[in-house]
Amino acid sequence: MTRYIQPLGMRVLVRIIKLEEILESGLYLPEGARDKMQQALFGEIIEVARARPEDQTDVSLGANESGIPCGARVLFAKSEGIPVPWDETLRLLDVKHVLATVEEVGLDQTH
């Protein structure tokens, strides 16, 4: 069975992205220690709340109401959001709990 989640209100569905187990210094951090140190989680928006199209013949998904685009990488406090019961990597999150969007750029693109 496949499940499709459509966030309602001002919510987004976030897939948590696990960060590297080895720090830049080369130290390995076991998962328990890494989780205790983390205050924020990194994730990717995979679905957003959408307005229903007024035209009933409109087959689009509807306009994004969240203000955050699908595919955006975000930071949010690890204590926020509602875990999805059947997938521990998914969390329903109020838009107000998104702390920042994150853009990944290569070292050659920085000043």
Side-chain angles (χ1 to χ4, degrees):
M1 173 186 352
T2 301
R3 292 182 169 121
Y4 173 73
I5 299 175
Q6 178 62 60
L8 301 175
M10 292 301 288
R11 292 184 186 89
V12 292
L13 182 63
V14 178
R15 181 174 307 279
I16 297 169
I17 298 171
K18 295 288 184 185
L19 299 177
E20 297 291 325
E21 294 180 5
I22 299 176
L23 299 175
E24 289 180 14
S25 63
L27 294 174
Y28 169 78
L29 279 180
E31 189 168 340
R34 193 173 61 247
D35 289 345
K36 285 182 184 178
M37 288 179 38
Q38 268 185 317
Q39 292 184 18
L41 294 175
F42 182 54
E44 179 179 6
I45 305 293
I46 61 171
E47 188 54 84
V48 297
R50 299 179 183 276
R52 298 193 195 282
E54 291 182 23
D55 179 2
Q56 298 301 324
T57 62
D58 188 351
V59 294
S60 70
L61 294 174
N64 177 348
E65 289 190 332
S66 73
I68 304 172
C70 278
R73 303 281 175 110
V74 296
L75 287 177
F76 59 97
K78 77 176 186 178
S79 62
E80 297 298 343
I82 305 294
V84 174
W86 59 86
D87 188 336
E88 65 185 30
T89 66
L90 295 178
R91 214 170 273 189
L92 279 166
L93 185 68
D94 284 328
V95 170
K96 67 182 179 184
H97 296 297
V98 173
L99 301 172
T101 57
V102 178
E103 185 175 337
E104 295 176 332
V105 295
L107 291 175
D108 58 336
Q109 296 174 335
T110 60
H111 294 68

